[in-house]
Amino acid sequence: MPIIASNFKTNHTRATTASFVKKIDEFLKSNSISSEILVFPTATALDKFETVSNLTVGVQNAYGVQSGSYTGEIGTCQLDEFDIKTILIGHSERRHILGETQESIAKKYEFYSNLGYKIVYCIGEPLEVKEQGLEKTLEYIYEQFVGIDTNYDNLILAYEPVWAIGTGVTATVEDIISVHKVIKEKINKPLLYGGSVKVDNVQEICSLDGVDGALIGTASWKVEDFIQIIENTKDL
Ligand code: 13P
């Protein structure tokens, strides 16, 4: 069964998130769909969603603390209020736009893994690295595993080439297969692909060798489209 995840990024309000989660939850239950579905709304939209299906709500980011003086951040004190136990770590937007270093990412990973959180850990290379070929791409990706315990039980990996994120340019089947193959040989964990996954390519991508599901931004934000994505992959 595939793992299908929606990353809202900075989209949806508290009200539209609640309606999205409710619709997906009802859809999964009424159709007895057993795919693992993850939704990552904004922190302001977190709530006790009390879902009845195999839909899990996670957080896109949090700081590695229980509470304290970290202006603008949230910690487990805020996550516990809503029973959130799933977190995205290492997303390229946090690495490249928000300036998170591998060191700070590894620290966050250690903190949340010690608490048993389900971690979706993202890796992926920028265009200038991809253009140097597979060997350089893999070298770059290996650097993103520095300080990361890849034997951690509750780990899901997501390969998201930076040049494919939000650009409409999906990696080719060959690109995906070749990178996934090498990662899978080294790390025996579910591995999602992300980067311009859409309603009409999700089935093909999720059927590839070494692909265990998809982490989706843009194409997942309309609830009807996300339902279609789930529908298109439910029997894989
Ligand atoms: P897009 O699906 O918009 O390319 O975003 C992918 C992504 O970054 C998911 O985390």
Side-chain angles (χ1 to χ4, degrees):
M1 279 300 154
I3 302 167
I4 304 291
S6 168
N7 176 4
F8 278 16
K9 307 191 177 184
T10 320
N11 299 282
H12 277 295
T13 61
R14 190 169 175 78
T16 64
T17 298
S19 136
F20 185 104
V21 167
K22 191 162 184 278
K23 281 186 189 154
I24 297 297
D25 191 38
E26 282 169 1
F27 170 76
L28 292 171
K29 181 157 192 255
S30 56
N31 292 280
S32 309
I33 292 177
S34 49
S35 316
E36 181 175 352
I37 306 297
L38 306 172
V39 175
F40 296 91
T42 63
T44 59
L46 295 180
D47 210 338
K48 269 200 175 166
F49 289 101
E50 287 167 6
T51 52
V52 291
S53 68
N54 36 347
L55 164 62
T56 303
V57 174
V59 69
Q60 292 174 28
N61 179 48
Y63 201 56
V65 287
Q66 198 263 343
S67 59
S69 298
Y70 305 96
T71 301
E73 296 289 337
I74 59 170
T76 55
C77 165
Q78 288 74 34
L79 300 178
D80 286 347
E81 185 178 14
F82 305 121
D83 299 326
I84 302 289
K85 287 279 176 215
T86 302
I87 185 168
L88 264 184
I89 296 182
H91 193 280
S92 73
E93 285 151 14
R94 297 218 54 90
R95 292 178 189 268
H96 300 295
I97 304 175
L98 285 314
E100 287 192 13
T101 61
Q102 186 59 31
E103 196 184 348
S104 66
I105 289 167
K107 219 167 131 190
K108 188 181 299 192
Y109 184 99
E110 190 184 6
F111 181 85
Y112 282 98
S113 59
N114 282 337
L115 293 176
Y117 275 60
K118 175 172 294 210
I119 297 177
V120 178
Y121 185 69
C122 305
I123 48 177
E125 81 290 357
L127 185 60
E128 66 271 20
V129 174
K130 185 222 169 7
E131 284 171 343
Q132 293 168 47
L134 183 61
E135 206 171 311
K136 290 281 179 214
T137 296
L138 293 171
E139 261 171 43
Y140 187 94
I141 289 172
Y142 294 153
E143 290 295 312
Q144 296 179 319
F145 284 113
V146 171
I148 302 298
D149 172 14
T150 54
N151 291 318
Y152 176 53
D153 272 351
N154 215 354
L155 169 63
I156 297 173
L157 299 172
Y159 170 54
E160 298 204 304
V162 181
W163 46 272
I165 295 179
T167 57
V169 182
T170 319
T172 63
V173 164
E174 293 74 31
D175 285 332
I176 300 172
I177 290 176
S178 52
V179 173
H180 275 236
K181 182 171 186 283
V182 180
I183 298 174
K184 286 290 249 188
E185 276 165 9
K186 291 197 177 287
I187 306 169
N188 183 23
K189 294 290 169 186
L191 176 56
L192 315 183
Y193 168 79
S196 297
V197 174
K198 301 164 198 151
V199 170
D200 48 11
N201 65 13
V202 69
Q203 191 177 40
E204 183 189 18
I205 291 171
C206 290
S207 310
L208 298 174
D209 266 357
V211 178
D212 301 301
L215 175 55
I216 310 165
T218 318
S220 69
W221 298 335
K222 265 200 212 142
V223 72
E224 299 75 27
D225 291 349
F226 194 50
I227 284 176
Q228 194 59 54
I229 284 170
I230 294 168
E231 184 75 45
N232 290 356
T233 49
K234 70 179 198 298
D235 299 321
L236 295 178

